[in-house]
Amino acid sequence: MGLEIDLTIRPEVTPFFDPQSNTFSYVVREPHGSACAIIDPVMEFDPAAGRLTYDSADQMIGFIRENGLTLEWIIETHVHADHLSGAPYIQDQLGGQIGIGEHVQEVQDVFGKIFNEGTEFQRDGSQFDRLFSDGDTYTVGEMTGHALHTPGHTPACMVHVIGDACFVGDTLFMPDGGSARADFPGGDAGQLYDSIQRVLSLPDETRLFICHDYGPGGRAISWETTVAEQKANNIHVGGGKTREEFVAFRTARDAELKVPSLILPSLQVNMRAGDVPEDEDGNMVLKMPLNKL
């Protein structure tokens, strides 16, 4: 791996769950200071009413203010296809830089065409404050964060490691949930397997915080596991399953999955760092391209 990870640094991680999309967002704070980061914030969207709300974001904002924290980063692990980002709403109130992987440009190029965006839509990632390259580091107070490129689910997926905490995005689910799909444009099951192995090469005691959980078998919703637990028990990659076995399973499984219900609003908002497109009169609008996915 080549990372200088300090497992003695144990950031405080507080989860916030959005039941509409089964998404976990996190506030990550240094153990002996006031600096913090947010991972994968949510903005709620009611497609029937065409209405945006900010309940989850307001909870995170309230938590940060109540605890006297300073927000330094709002990090997107990838361009999400199942929920809209609350990053700009939070940034307007608390500051901080919005960051994502540099391969967001590939996602912007693909979906810029699908949504028939004009030349005014920049496809260079400039909507974000920071584009992370593989191996980049950044700081949250006195903690060092590491950005690792983990493509497969999407080209822009990145895992972020801060102390002993690793935020895996959609690279892995809980052990009984397995892994995320790899059939979106730019996805690749083989790449996803390789990315998962990269995560599993971290020290066994590394805490892994997932982005989604669906409570398989009716169990309670969960959000935290470890590298050791994933290597031993993950139903898709644990127990020494081979790359060939994973690709065959993932390809067959993905062919059975429905498209996420919020994929069209999510992608056109999230590829803009959470900003909602506007018409010439300044009204927020969303497109609904037909027969494109």
mmCIF file of all heavy atoms in Angstrom, residues 63-87:
data_model
loop_
_atom_site.group_PDB
_atom_site.id
_atom_site.type_symbol
_atom_site.label_atom_id
_atom_site.label_comp_id
_atom_site.label_asym_id
_atom_site.label_seq_id
_atom_site.Cartn_x
_atom_site.Cartn_y
_atom_site.Cartn_z
ATOM 1 N N PHE A 63 -25.149 19.532 14.682
ATOM 2 C CA PHE A 63 -24.156 18.772 15.454
ATOM 3 C C PHE A 63 -22.822 19.509 15.487
ATOM 4 O O PHE A 63 -22.179 19.615 16.557
ATOM 5 C CB PHE A 63 -23.983 17.386 14.833
ATOM 6 C CG PHE A 63 -22.928 16.546 15.497
ATOM 7 C CD1 PHE A 63 -23.233 15.778 16.615
ATOM 8 C CD2 PHE A 63 -21.621 16.516 15.012
ATOM 9 C CE1 PHE A 63 -22.254 15.000 17.235
ATOM 10 C CE2 PHE A 63 -20.647 15.745 15.622
ATOM 11 C CZ PHE A 63 -20.964 14.985 16.742
ATOM 12 N N ILE A 64 -22.388 20.013 14.359
ATOM 13 C CA ILE A 64 -21.104 20.709 14.294
ATOM 14 C C ILE A 64 -21.137 21.986 15.134
ATOM 15 O O ILE A 64 -20.198 22.284 15.887
ATOM 16 C CB ILE A 64 -20.748 21.001 12.823
ATOM 17 C CG1 ILE A 64 -20.359 19.681 12.127
ATOM 18 C CG2 ILE A 64 -19.624 22.028 12.715
ATOM 19 C CD1 ILE A 64 -20.183 19.800 10.631
ATOM 20 N N ARG A 65 -22.219 22.722 15.046
ATOM 21 C CA ARG A 65 -22.320 23.963 15.828
ATOM 22 C C ARG A 65 -22.426 23.680 17.325
ATOM 23 O O ARG A 65 -21.774 24.342 18.141
ATOM 24 C CB ARG A 65 -23.519 24.765 15.341
ATOM 25 C CG ARG A 65 -23.293 25.445 13.989
ATOM 26 C CD ARG A 65 -24.535 26.137 13.487
ATOM 27 N NE ARG A 65 -24.246 26.967 12.305
ATOM 28 C CZ ARG A 65 -25.158 27.422 11.468
ATOM 29 N NH1 ARG A 65 -26.453 27.151 11.685
ATOM 30 N NH2 ARG A 65 -24.820 28.158 10.436
ATOM 31 N N GLU A 66 -23.225 22.689 17.672
ATOM 32 C CA GLU A 66 -23.407 22.373 19.099
ATOM 33 C C GLU A 66 -22.120 21.912 19.758
ATOM 34 O O GLU A 66 -21.911 22.116 20.962
ATOM 35 C CB GLU A 66 -24.478 21.288 19.246
ATOM 36 C CG GLU A 66 -25.889 21.775 18.935
ATOM 37 C CD GLU A 66 -26.852 20.625 18.748
ATOM 38 O OE1 GLU A 66 -26.458 19.464 19.023
ATOM 39 O OE2 GLU A 66 -27.992 20.873 18.303
ATOM 40 N N ASN A 67 -21.240 21.298 18.986
ATOM 41 C CA ASN A 67 -19.988 20.794 19.533
ATOM 42 C C ASN A 67 -18.811 21.734 19.294
ATOM 43 O O ASN A 67 -17.669 21.372 19.591
ATOM 44 C CB ASN A 67 -19.688 19.414 18.940
ATOM 45 C CG ASN A 67 -20.588 18.329 19.502
ATOM 46 O OD1 ASN A 67 -20.327 17.776 20.562
ATOM 47 N ND2 ASN A 67 -21.677 18.035 18.793
ATOM 48 N N GLY A 68 -19.093 22.928 18.800
ATOM 49 C CA GLY A 68 -18.045 23.923 18.615
ATOM 50 C C GLY A 68 -16.966 23.507 17.637
ATOM 51 O O GLY A 68 -15.786 23.850 17.816
ATOM 52 N N LEU A 69 -17.355 22.791 16.572
ATOM 53 C CA LEU A 69 -16.384 22.279 15.614
ATOM 54 C C LEU A 69 -16.185 23.243 14.440
ATOM 55 O O LEU A 69 -17.039 24.088 14.157
ATOM 56 C CB LEU A 69 -16.837 20.916 15.085
ATOM 57 C CG LEU A 69 -17.123 19.843 16.131
ATOM 58 C CD1 LEU A 69 -17.569 18.550 15.459
ATOM 59 C CD2 LEU A 69 -15.905 19.603 17.012
ATOM 60 N N THR A 70 -15.064 23.084 13.777
ATOM 61 C CA THR A 70 -14.749 23.863 12.584
ATOM 62 C C THR A 70 -14.696 22.921 11.392
ATOM 63 O O THR A 70 -13.889 21.982 11.367
ATOM 64 C CB THR A 70 -13.393 24.574 12.734
ATOM 65 O OG1 THR A 70 -13.441 25.455 13.853
ATOM 66 C CG2 THR A 70 -13.061 25.371 11.477
ATOM 67 N N LEU A 71 -15.543 23.165 10.405
ATOM 68 C CA LEU A 71 -15.605 22.292 9.238
ATOM 69 C C LEU A 71 -14.534 22.692 8.233
ATOM 70 O O LEU A 71 -14.521 23.830 7.743
ATOM 71 C CB LEU A 71 -16.986 22.375 8.594
ATOM 72 C CG LEU A 71 -17.206 21.489 7.360
ATOM 73 C CD1 LEU A 71 -17.062 20.014 7.713
ATOM 74 C CD2 LEU A 71 -18.575 21.767 6.743
ATOM 75 N N GLU A 72 -13.653 21.768 7.919
ATOM 76 C CA GLU A 72 -12.571 22.040 6.981
ATOM 77 C C GLU A 72 -12.790 21.393 5.612
ATOM 78 O O GLU A 72 -12.339 21.930 4.603
ATOM 79 C CB GLU A 72 -11.235 21.580 7.567
ATOM 80 C CG GLU A 72 -10.857 22.349 8.842
ATOM 81 C CD GLU A 72 -9.462 22.033 9.338
ATOM 82 O OE1 GLU A 72 -8.835 21.079 8.820
ATOM 83 O OE2 GLU A 72 -8.996 22.741 10.255
ATOM 84 N N TRP A 73 -13.467 20.251 5.584
ATOM 85 C CA TRP A 73 -13.663 19.542 4.326
ATOM 86 C C TRP A 73 -15.070 18.968 4.226
ATOM 87 O O TRP A 73 -15.639 18.533 5.216
ATOM 88 C CB TRP A 73 -12.677 18.364 4.202
ATOM 89 C CG TRP A 73 -11.261 18.767 3.934
ATOM 90 C CD1 TRP A 73 -10.256 18.886 4.848
ATOM 91 C CD2 TRP A 73 -10.711 19.112 2.672
ATOM 92 N NE1 TRP A 73 -9.098 19.283 4.225
ATOM 93 C CE2 TRP A 73 -9.343 19.427 2.887
ATOM 94 C CE3 TRP A 73 -11.218 19.179 1.371
ATOM 95 C CZ2 TRP A 73 -8.494 19.809 1.845
ATOM 96 C CZ3 TRP A 73 -10.376 19.564 0.338
ATOM 97 C CH2 TRP A 73 -9.039 19.866 0.581
ATOM 98 N N ILE A 74 -15.607 18.979 3.009
ATOM 99 C CA ILE A 74 -16.816 18.233 2.661
ATOM 100 C C ILE A 74 -16.401 17.317 1.512
ATOM 101 O O ILE A 74 -16.119 17.786 0.401
ATOM 102 C CB ILE A 74 -17.961 19.162 2.229
ATOM 103 C CG1 ILE A 74 -18.245 20.216 3.307
ATOM 104 C CG2 ILE A 74 -19.216 18.341 1.931
ATOM 105 C CD1 ILE A 74 -19.188 21.314 2.853
ATOM 106 N N ILE A 75 -16.307 16.036 1.783
ATOM 107 C CA ILE A 75 -15.716 15.093 0.841
ATOM 108 C C ILE A 75 -16.789 14.189 0.245
ATOM 109 O O ILE A 75 -17.598 13.599 0.967
ATOM 110 C CB ILE A 75 -14.633 14.252 1.537
ATOM 111 C CG1 ILE A 75 -13.450 15.154 1.913
ATOM 112 C CG2 ILE A 75 -14.174 13.093 0.656
ATOM 113 C CD1 ILE A 75 -12.410 14.474 2.772
ATOM 114 N N GLU A 76 -16.788 14.104 -1.074
ATOM 115 C CA GLU A 76 -17.642 13.160 -1.792
ATOM 116 C C GLU A 76 -16.784 11.974 -2.208
ATOM 117 O O GLU A 76 -15.766 12.146 -2.888
ATOM 118 C CB GLU A 76 -18.251 13.822 -3.035
ATOM 119 C CG GLU A 76 -19.075 15.068 -2.761
ATOM 120 C CD GLU A 76 -20.441 14.779 -2.157
ATOM 121 O OE1 GLU A 76 -20.722 13.593 -1.858
ATOM 122 O OE2 GLU A 76 -21.217 15.728 -1.981
ATOM 123 N N THR A 77 -17.177 10.769 -1.809
ATOM 124 C CA THR A 77 -16.397 9.599 -2.204
ATOM 125 C C THR A 77 -16.546 9.293 -3.689
ATOM 126 O O THR A 77 -15.665 8.663 -4.283
ATOM 127 C CB THR A 77 -16.796 8.355 -1.389
ATOM 128 O OG1 THR A 77 -18.209 8.129 -1.527
ATOM 129 C CG2 THR A 77 -16.437 8.531 0.083
ATOM 130 N N HIS A 78 -17.648 9.752 -4.312
ATOM 131 C CA HIS A 78 -17.857 9.588 -5.754
ATOM 132 C C HIS A 78 -19.093 10.389 -6.148
ATOM 133 O O HIS A 78 -19.713 11.039 -5.298
ATOM 134 C CB HIS A 78 -18.013 8.106 -6.126
ATOM 135 C CG HIS A 78 -19.187 7.413 -5.494
ATOM 136 N ND1 HIS A 78 -19.266 7.155 -4.144
ATOM 137 C CD2 HIS A 78 -20.334 6.906 -6.039
ATOM 138 C CE1 HIS A 78 -20.395 6.529 -3.867
ATOM 139 N NE2 HIS A 78 -21.059 6.372 -5.001
ATOM 140 N N VAL A 79 -19.415 10.373 -7.434
ATOM 141 C CA VAL A 79 -20.644 11.011 -7.914
ATOM 142 C C VAL A 79 -21.787 10.027 -7.673
ATOM 143 O O VAL A 79 -21.981 9.074 -8.425
ATOM 144 C CB VAL A 79 -20.542 11.375 -9.412
ATOM 145 C CG1 VAL A 79 -21.849 12.013 -9.889
ATOM 146 C CG2 VAL A 79 -19.373 12.329 -9.647
ATOM 147 N N HIS A 80 -22.543 10.253 -6.630
ATOM 148 C CA HIS A 80 -23.576 9.315 -6.196
ATOM 149 C C HIS A 80 -24.741 9.272 -7.185
ATOM 150 O O HIS A 80 -25.134 10.293 -7.739
ATOM 151 C CB HIS A 80 -24.101 9.719 -4.821
ATOM 152 C CG HIS A 80 -23.036 9.820 -3.785
ATOM 153 N ND1 HIS A 80 -22.566 8.729 -3.089
ATOM 154 C CD2 HIS A 80 -22.326 10.887 -3.329
ATOM 155 C CE1 HIS A 80 -21.627 9.113 -2.246
ATOM 156 N NE2 HIS A 80 -21.467 10.418 -2.368
ATOM 157 N N ALA A 81 -25.300 8.074 -7.354
ATOM 158 C CA ALA A 81 -26.423 7.885 -8.269
ATOM 159 C C ALA A 81 -27.733 7.624 -7.536
ATOM 160 O O ALA A 81 -28.753 7.404 -8.188
ATOM 161 C CB ALA A 81 -26.132 6.721 -9.224
ATOM 162 N N ASP A 82 -27.715 7.662 -6.205
ATOM 163 C CA ASP A 82 -28.932 7.315 -5.463
ATOM 164 C C ASP A 82 -29.370 8.386 -4.482
ATOM 165 O O ASP A 82 -30.391 8.239 -3.834
ATOM 166 C CB ASP A 82 -28.742 5.992 -4.720
ATOM 167 C CG ASP A 82 -27.406 5.932 -3.991
ATOM 168 O OD1 ASP A 82 -26.846 7.014 -3.697
ATOM 169 O OD2 ASP A 82 -26.924 4.826 -3.726
ATOM 170 N N HIS A 83 -28.605 9.451 -4.356
ATOM 171 C CA HIS A 83 -29.047 10.579 -3.533
ATOM 172 C C HIS A 83 -28.380 11.851 -4.023
ATOM 173 O O HIS A 83 -27.339 11.808 -4.673
ATOM 174 C CB HIS A 83 -28.735 10.348 -2.043
ATOM 175 C CG HIS A 83 -27.271 10.406 -1.717
ATOM 176 N ND1 HIS A 83 -26.469 9.288 -1.703
ATOM 177 C CD2 HIS A 83 -26.458 11.446 -1.393
ATOM 178 C CE1 HIS A 83 -25.235 9.629 -1.386
ATOM 179 N NE2 HIS A 83 -25.197 10.937 -1.200
ATOM 180 N N LEU A 84 -28.990 12.974 -3.711
ATOM 181 C CA LEU A 84 -28.443 14.272 -4.084
ATOM 182 C C LEU A 84 -27.542 14.783 -2.962
ATOM 183 O O LEU A 84 -27.811 14.550 -1.787
ATOM 184 C CB LEU A 84 -29.564 15.279 -4.343
ATOM 185 C CG LEU A 84 -30.342 15.151 -5.659
ATOM 186 C CD1 LEU A 84 -31.156 13.855 -5.709
ATOM 187 C CD2 LEU A 84 -31.287 16.347 -5.849
ATOM 188 N N SER A 85 -26.484 15.465 -3.332
ATOM 189 C CA SER A 85 -25.521 15.955 -2.351
ATOM 190 C C SER A 85 -25.999 17.230 -1.665
ATOM 191 O O SER A 85 -26.535 18.137 -2.304
ATOM 192 C CB SER A 85 -24.175 16.232 -3.028
ATOM 193 O OG SER A 85 -23.290 16.881 -2.134
ATOM 194 N N GLY A 86 -25.758 17.287 -0.362
ATOM 195 C CA GLY A 86 -26.049 18.497 0.400
ATOM 196 C C GLY A 86 -24.828 19.377 0.598
ATOM 197 O O GLY A 86 -24.851 20.296 1.423
ATOM 198 N N ALA A 87 -23.757 19.139 -0.156
ATOM 199 C CA ALA A 87 -22.489 19.837 0.074
ATOM 200 C C ALA A 87 -22.585 21.361 -0.031
ATOM 201 O O ALA A 87 -22.118 22.075 0.868
ATOM 202 C CB ALA A 87 -21.421 19.299 -0.875
#
